[in-house]
Amino acid sequence: MIHLTIEELLENNRSWVAEKLTSEPDYFNQLAAEQKPPYLYVGCSDSRMPLTLYTKTEPGEIFVHRNIANQVSLTDINFLSVLDYAISHLRVQHIIVCGHYGCGGIQAALEGSTTGLVDNWVNPIRELYLQKKLEIDSLSTREERINRLAELNVIAQVKNLYQTSILRKCLREGNAPQIHGWVLNLKTGLIKDMQLKTSEWEWLKPKFQ
Ligand code: CO
């Protein structure tokens, strides 16, 4: 892959703005006025995971939080602030937790292969792997093992969402957004909806009770 220079990035920005203004002269005035995105996307930091491109959405439609291996961490003040703001102020209607096959963070959790802080960050996923070891180790290829753990991780992170005080408050008040678990296949560009039965998880006993 040939990477653009910094100058080319800025030039691309100018030509993109010019194109937008040709078709919609008021585009940026409207964009600057407010944001009312219906979606919160919790995704992996991986450079191949800009959900807007895969879903043909525009600026203003998806509020975003990304970290390595798309984790919902109950101690991450960054994530919790995003979640609180998305729910309390933006009133998003949907939360999408989207992982991906071939995820380096998942691989690190499965194989303990990195050298550095990532190992600490993905440790909860390593714990998940140890819980599901029989199922994952029974798969015949490394790729299948990494991809299955990516799916199980999405399920675990959606369950974690139901452990947040922020979401539990909206569930009690009857105005919670719908939660979706997706996995994107980088080899096809297609998104798999995990069809999670989230309504069954709404009353999961919080870990702190
Ligand atoms: Co990833």
Side-chain angles (χ1 to χ4, degrees):
M1 186 178 287
I2 300 165
H3 294 291
L4 300 174
T5 64
I6 287 287
E7 289 72 25
E8 286 168 329
L9 296 185
L10 294 170
E11 179 49 37
N12 282 354
N13 168 246
R14 286 188 290 271
S15 65
W16 177 76
V17 167
E19 269 170 41
K20 275 282 179 198
L21 291 175
T22 306
S23 55
E24 290 179 65
D26 207 33
Y27 183 83
F28 292 101
N29 285 333
Q30 286 183 12
L31 194 63
E34 65 161 355
Q35 68 161 339
K36 203 71 192 148
Y39 301 102
L40 166 63
Y41 162 47
V42 181
C44 183
S45 298
D46 193 301
S47 63
R48 299 164 294 181
M49 289 296 290
L51 197 63
T52 45
L53 286 177
Y54 292 98
T55 55
K56 287 181 149 184
T57 40
E58 288 283 321
E61 295 190 75
I62 304 186
F63 200 59
V64 175
H65 176 86
R66 288 167 68 181
N67 61 50
I68 291 174
N70 43 275
Q71 293 186 71
V72 169
S73 166
L74 303 185
T75 55
D76 177 1
I77 192 73
N78 180 354
F79 167 72
L80 294 173
S81 303
V82 168
L83 181 68
D84 191 23
Y85 191 77
I87 288 182
S88 308
H89 296 272
L90 300 175
R91 306 205 176 279
V92 297
Q93 293 145 36
H94 301 268
I95 301 176
I96 299 163
V97 177
C98 185
H100 65 105
Y101 295 142
C103 179
I106 297 289
Q107 184 189 324
L110 188 64
E111 301 172 347
S113 54
T114 78
T115 51
L117 274 177
V118 173
D119 281 338
N120 300 49
W121 174 248
V122 299
N123 192 54
I125 306 174
R126 175 137 190 98
E127 299 278 350
L128 175 66
Y129 161 61
L130 294 173
Q131 282 170 26
K132 307 281 183 181
K133 198 169 185 311
L134 271 182
E135 177 190 342
I136 291 168
D137 287 358
S138 71
L139 297 167
S140 49
T141 69
R142 177 173 180 250
E143 185 179 6
E144 284 174 309
R145 290 190 287 274
I146 291 171
N147 292 349
R148 181 59 184 151
L149 187 56
E151 292 184 346
L152 293 171
N153 178 51
V154 164
I155 297 169
Q157 303 310 332
V158 170
K159 283 186 174 170
N160 278 348
L161 265 180
Y162 287 100
Q163 302 291 340
T164 62
S165 54
I166 301 159
L167 189 62
R168 300 191 76 84
K169 180 167 174 282
C170 348
L171 286 168
R172 275 197 304 276
E173 293 169 356
N175 57 4
Q178 283 180 43
I179 318 282
H180 311 268
W182 290 0
V183 183
L184 190 139
N185 186 339
L186 290 171
K187 288 186 172 176
T188 63
L190 292 171
I191 293 166
K192 173 179 174 179
D193 183 345
M194 299 285 292
Q195 311 272 5
L196 302 180
K197 306 235 179 309
T198 49
S199 57
E200 294 169 13
W201 301 345
E202 289 181 8
W203 306 108
L204 279 178
K205 210 170 168 55
K207 285 172 184 164
F208 48 82
Q209 278 183 1

